[in-house]
Amino acid sequence: NAGVTQTPKFRILKIGQSMTLQCTQDMNHNYMYWYRQDPGMGLKLIYYSVGAGITDKGEVPNGYNVSRSTTEDFPLRLELAAPSQTSVYFCACSPILAREQYFGPGTRLTVT
Amino acid sequence: RKEVEQDPGPFNVPEGATVAFNCTYSNSASQSFFWYRQDCRKEPKLLMSVYSSGNEDGRFTAQLNRASQYISLLIRDSKLSDSATYLCVVNKGSARQLTFGSGTQLTVLP
C-alpha cells in the first residue's frame, strides 16, 4: 500500500516550457487535491477533485490545469512555466471532503 | 486578518520540556480542525484532529476554543524526534477546502 505517489521528485524547467506532474493514490479515496508550498508559507490549494471527471478551482489555479479520468490519478499540468511557479507541489487525497488529508512526498519544481 | 495565524517561532526547547502552540482562525463557521507536522523537506503528515471537547494522543493534547476562535497543541516531555514544523489546519466553513497555517517551527535540544 504505497499511499500517494508523485513523480518526478525534482524538475528544472525553462521559462515557457510545459510539464505534467503525476499523482497516483491507492487509498481508494474519492477526493484529491493539488497544493503548492512556497518557502515559509502555508500550503495554497491549486485545484481539487471530488471524483473521476469532476474538478474545481482552488485558491491559486492560474497557470495550471488538471484532469481526473480515474479515481487513482490526478495529474497537474503547467503550461508556459513562469518563475513564479517555482515551488514545492504536493498532491493529497482524503476519504471525506475538507477532512483529514494524506499527502504525497512532493515535487520540487524550479523555473529559470 | 489571515484566515489561519500561527506564531512562526522558532521555539527552541530542551528535551523533556512542555511546549504549547496556539493558532487563531478567522472563519467562525469553521467546523474541522487539525494539527499536522511537517519535517524539513517532507510532506505534511496528520498529527491529530481537534475535537470540541479537547483530545489527547499520548504526549500530545489539542484544545479548541470556539468562542475565541483558537486551537492549541500541547506537547509534554518533548523528544528530539518532535523537532518539526507544526501546521494548524482549519476548514473554510461550508467551503470544500482546508486552510493551512504557515506553521510553527519547533526544535528540541539535547
Side-chain angles (χ1 to χ4, degrees):
Chain A
N1 195 345
V4 182
T5 56
Q6 292 183 238
T7 56
K9 285 187 168 49
F10 305 93
R11 183 71 186 269
I12 298 174
L13 278 183
K14 294 191 175 171
I15 294 171
Q17 288 185 321
S18 301
M19 74 166 294
T20 299
L21 283 66
Q22 301 292 345
C23 174
T24 300
Q25 55 105 354
D26 64 2
M27 304 176 79
N28 201 31
H29 289 172
N30 282 330
Y31 306 101
M32 296 189 75
Y33 315 83
W34 274 105
Y35 292 91
R36 59 176 287 172
Q37 185 177 34
D38 299 325
M41 305 292 285
L43 280 77
K44 302 287 186 190
L45 183 65
I46 304 171
Y47 271 96
Y48 67 98
S49 170
V50 301
I54 307 170
T55 62
D56 207 349
K57 295 178 180 178
E59 187 180 355
V60 290
N62 291 344
Y64 307 95
N65 276 301
V66 293
S67 59
R68 182 103 181 266
S69 56
T70 66
T71 299
E72 294 78 21
D73 298 305
F74 190 38
L76 177 72
R77 178 88 179 153
L78 277 72
E79 305 282 1
L80 298 174
S84 60
Q85 293 178 305
T86 293
S87 191
V88 181
Y89 291 84
F90 290 105
C91 178
C93 66
S94 68
I96 302 172
L97 197 59
R99 293 288 302 182
E100 49 267 32
Q101 297 176 4
Y102 302 90
F103 286 81
T107 294
R108 294 183 177 276
L109 176 67
T110 301
V111 181
T112 62
Chain B
R1 182 182 174 185
K2 283 186 180 178
E3 291 183 75
V4 177
E5 287 201 76
Q6 297 183 250
D7 182 344
F11 285 64
N12 298 318
V13 302
E15 255 187 303
T18 296
V19 61
F21 309 134
N22 285 333
C23 163
T24 58
Y25 61 95
S26 61
N27 190 336
S28 59
S30 295
Q31 295 293 324
S32 304
F33 309 90
F34 310 94
W35 284 102
Y36 278 71
R37 74 169 275 167
Q38 187 173 23
D39 294 307
C40 188
R41 300 177 73 81
K42 298 285 190 180
E43 72 273 23
K45 290 187 178 176
L46 179 67
L47 180 67
M48 58 197 300
S49 301
V50 185
Y51 301 118
S52 296
S53 55
N55 48 298
E56 192 173 299
D57 183 359
R59 298 180 293 107
F60 299 85
T61 301
Q63 298 276 355
L64 168 64
N65 185 318
R66 286 189 186 275
S68 301
Q69 293 181 209
Y70 78 83
I71 67 174
S72 63
L73 177 68
L74 181 78
I75 305 175
R76 290 182 300 278
D77 188 22
S78 300
K79 313 289 185 194
L80 296 176
S81 57
D82 293 334
S83 296
T85 297
Y86 290 83
L87 307 177
C88 172
V89 183
V90 177
N91 85 313
K92 288 190 174 196
S94 60
R96 303 175 166 197
Q97 298 178 22
L98 296 179
T99 301
F100 286 75
S102 301
T104 297
Q105 186 181 343
L106 172 67
T107 301
V108 180
L109 305 168

